[in-house]
């Protein structure tokens, strides 16, 4: 006799730009997401969180994200631009940010050449945020939905339907 047995595995894949996985978490596009969803670190470790936009359904010329976190637990190190706006090799976006204790405002937008509109149509990486873990505890790094904005090349606002935060556990 020959016996076969199967075991079903529940695979938890954390893809920040997967619209189907985000929908399962009730995050519908266009959405602003963070990656990784959860991470556990020790005091003094580096914490990296990526900011992403998922499935905007029109041309996108600018993004403003307002991110909040517990500054008692995480210390901001630096913020670098993602590849969504910088990867076309033709247009250079304006990338800037301001940081005040526990709050970060990230601005990325095309200024546009005279007589031309610059934009992206893809889903992608807006910025990479680097922190250092300061103290034990748990914090959520999240978008403030009341202060985030997506705009078209004609400065029309795009409604954001979903937000996915990141959780950091410091041991």
């Amino acid at each position: 006799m020959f016996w076969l047995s199967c075991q079903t595995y529940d695979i938890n894949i954390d893809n920040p730009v997967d619209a189907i996985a985000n929908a399962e978490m009730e995050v519908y596009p266009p959405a602003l997401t963070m990656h990784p969803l959860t991470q556990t670190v020790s005091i003094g470790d580096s914490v990296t969180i990526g900011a992403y936009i998922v499935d905007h359904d029109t041309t996108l010329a600018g993004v403003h994200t307002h991110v909040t976190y517990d500054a008692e637990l995480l210390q901001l190190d630096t913020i670098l631009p993602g590849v969504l706006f910088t990867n076309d090799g033709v247009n250079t976006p304006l990338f800037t940010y301001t940081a005040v204790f526990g709050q970060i405002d990230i601005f990325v937008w095309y200024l546009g050449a005279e007589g031309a509109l610059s934009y992206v149509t893809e889903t992608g990486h807006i910025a990479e945020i680097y922190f250092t873990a300061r103290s034990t505890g748990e914090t959520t790094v999240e978008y403030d939905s009341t202060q985030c904005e997506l705009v078209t090349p004609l400065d029309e606002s795009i409604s954001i339907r979903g937000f996915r935060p990141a959780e950091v556990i410091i041991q």
Side-chain angles (χ1 to χ4, degrees):
M1 291 200 130
F2 184 41
W3 295 96
L4 291 177
S5 172
C6 293
Q7 183 172 358
T8 304
Y9 292 93
D10 183 19
I11 300 174
N12 186 6
I13 300 174
D14 180 20
N15 182 344
V17 296
D18 184 347
I20 295 169
N22 285 327
E24 290 174 358
M25 297 174 62
E26 298 186 9
V27 175
Y28 301 102
L32 292 173
T33 64
M34 293 190 180
H35 176 76
L37 185 58
T38 304
Q39 56 187 308
T40 303
V41 298
S42 299
I43 295 174
D45 285 353
S46 179
V47 176
T48 304
I49 296 177
Y52 294 83
I53 181 165
V54 180
D55 285 347
H56 55 92
D57 56 358
T58 185
T59 56
L60 180 65
V63 176
H64 167 222
T65 65
H66 184 82
V67 176
T68 61
Y69 62 95
D70 186 339
E72 297 291 330
L73 301 179
L74 294 174
Q75 177 180 341
L76 179 65
D77 287 336
T78 192
I79 302 173
L80 297 175
V83 298
L84 178 62
F85 284 87
T86 60
N87 203 23
D88 73 357
V90 177
N91 298 302
T92 302
L94 182 58
F95 179 90
T96 186
Y97 66 90
T98 59
V100 179
F101 193 78
Q103 300 181 45
I104 306 167
D105 283 289
I106 300 172
F107 300 90
V108 187
W109 67 92
Y110 287 124
L111 297 176
E114 187 174 326
L117 298 176
S118 299
Y119 58 86
V120 294
T121 56
E122 300 86 11
T123 288
H125 187 217
I126 300 169
E128 200 74 9
I129 308 169
Y130 296 91
F131 298 97
T132 299
R134 298 177 63 169
S135 183
T136 59
E138 295 182 18
T139 183
T140 301
V141 181
E142 61 189 337
Y143 297 105
D144 179 343
S145 62
T146 65
Q147 297 187 48
C148 294
E149 183 180 25
L150 307 175
V151 295
T152 69
L154 299 175
D155 200 28
E156 298 163 331
S157 185
I158 300 169
S159 178
I160 305 170
R161 295 183 56 215
F163 297 89
R164 188 183 95 165
E167 180 87 20
V168 179
I169 302 163
I170 306 166
Q171 300 177 335

